[in-house]
Amino acid sequence: MTLPKRTLLLGGARSGKSGHAEHLAAEAEDVRYVATGRRRPADADWDARIEEHRVRRPATWTTVESTTNLPQLIVDGTLGVTLVDDLGTWLTHTIDDRAAWDSPRGTIAAEIDALVEAVAQCTGTLLLVTPEVGLSVVPHTRSGRLFQDEIGALNSRLAEVCDDVVLVVAGLPLTLKCAGVHPFRKAEQQP
C-alpha cells in the first residue's frame, strides 16, 4: 500500500483517529512515532492514556517523545513513515511553554508558522493526528476558547498543505481531501 505524502487525520476525543493513523502506518517497514504528550506524575488518568498508546505500538517502531522541536523532526524526515500523535498536545505544550494562556491570540504564531512550513516542505510520508474541537459548544473559559481558536486555525492551515485530509468519526474515516482533490467540491473549484 502506498501512503500519500502528507495526511492530516482529524477527529474528536476517542474518535479512533490515532488508531486509524496507526493502521495506515502499520504496513510501512520503517515507522517513526512522534509522541507529543508529556507525562504528568500527579495525573494517573493522563499517564494511563499515554501508556495505552505506548503499548499498542509495534516494538519495531521508533518512538520519539518530543514537545518542543516538532517542526525540526518533520523537516528531518525519515525513509519510512512519521506519525505525529497529536497536534493538540503539542499546541497545549507550546502555549504552556510560552505562558501564553492569558496572552492575545497569535502569541504563538511563530511556532505555528514553523510547523506549517515544516509540513509543507516535508519530503517523507507524514501522518498528523489532530483534534477537531470546533464541532461542540464554545468553551466557557478563556483558555478553552484560545485552544479551540488556535487548533482550528492550525488545522485549517495544515489541511491546505496536506495531500490528504481525513475526518475520523466513531472509528470511521471520511475522506475530505484526497491527493489534493476535495471530493465534495465541484471540479471547477478544485485548487
Side-chain angles (χ1 to χ4, degrees):
M1 169 171 86
T2 302
L3 290 172
K5 287 181 89 164
R6 295 167 300 217
T7 302
L8 182 66
L9 297 114
L10 304 132
R14 300 294 196 204
S15 64
K17 61 191 178 293
S18 295
H20 185 65
E22 292 163 4
H23 172 76
L24 292 175
E27 301 203 18
E29 286 186 31
D30 297 310
V31 177
R32 179 177 59 161
Y33 184 100
V34 179
T36 63
R38 291 180 183 157
R39 292 195 180 268
R40 301 179 199 151
D43 189 343
D45 182 64
W46 179 251
D47 281 354
R49 283 176 179 249
I50 290 175
E51 187 64 13
E52 177 186 321
H53 281 252
R54 190 193 65 74
V55 298
R56 72 177 185 223
R57 290 194 292 267
T60 56
W61 290 9
T62 301
T63 299
V64 178
E65 293 184 7
S66 177
T67 60
T68 59
N69 63 341
L70 185 56
Q72 188 60 47
L73 285 170
I74 289 171
V75 169
D76 288 347
T78 182
L79 295 177
V81 173
T82 296
L83 190 163
V84 177
D85 195 2
D86 87 6
L87 297 178
T89 52
W90 172 82
L91 179 66
T92 298
H93 299 314
T94 300
I95 296 170
D96 281 347
D97 292 347
R98 291 283 304 273
W101 289 106
D102 293 319
S103 300
R105 281 160 177 71
T107 299
I108 60 165
E111 291 89 341
I112 287 177
D113 290 347
L115 179 61
V116 173
E117 182 62 25
V119 171
Q121 299 303 316
C122 180
T123 58
T125 302
L126 182 61
L127 300 169
L128 299 166
V129 177
T130 188
E132 174 51 65
V133 298
L135 299 175
S136 66
V137 300
V138 175
H140 178 68
T141 63
R142 184 190 188 290
S143 59
R145 290 187 300 274
L146 173 71
F147 179 83
Q148 187 178 57
D149 291 351
E150 294 286 4
I151 197 71
L154 174 61
N155 288 346
S156 293
R157 290 184 62 195
L158 289 171
E160 285 295 318
V161 300
C162 284
D163 304 298
D164 281 14
V165 179
V166 177
L167 175 64
V168 181
V169 179
L172 302 173
L174 174 63
T175 300
L176 304 177
K177 178 181 175 184
C178 183
V181 176
H182 303 269
F184 305 110
R185 286 189 189 167
K186 294 180 182 176
E188 67 273 7
Q189 294 176 331
Q190 295 296 326

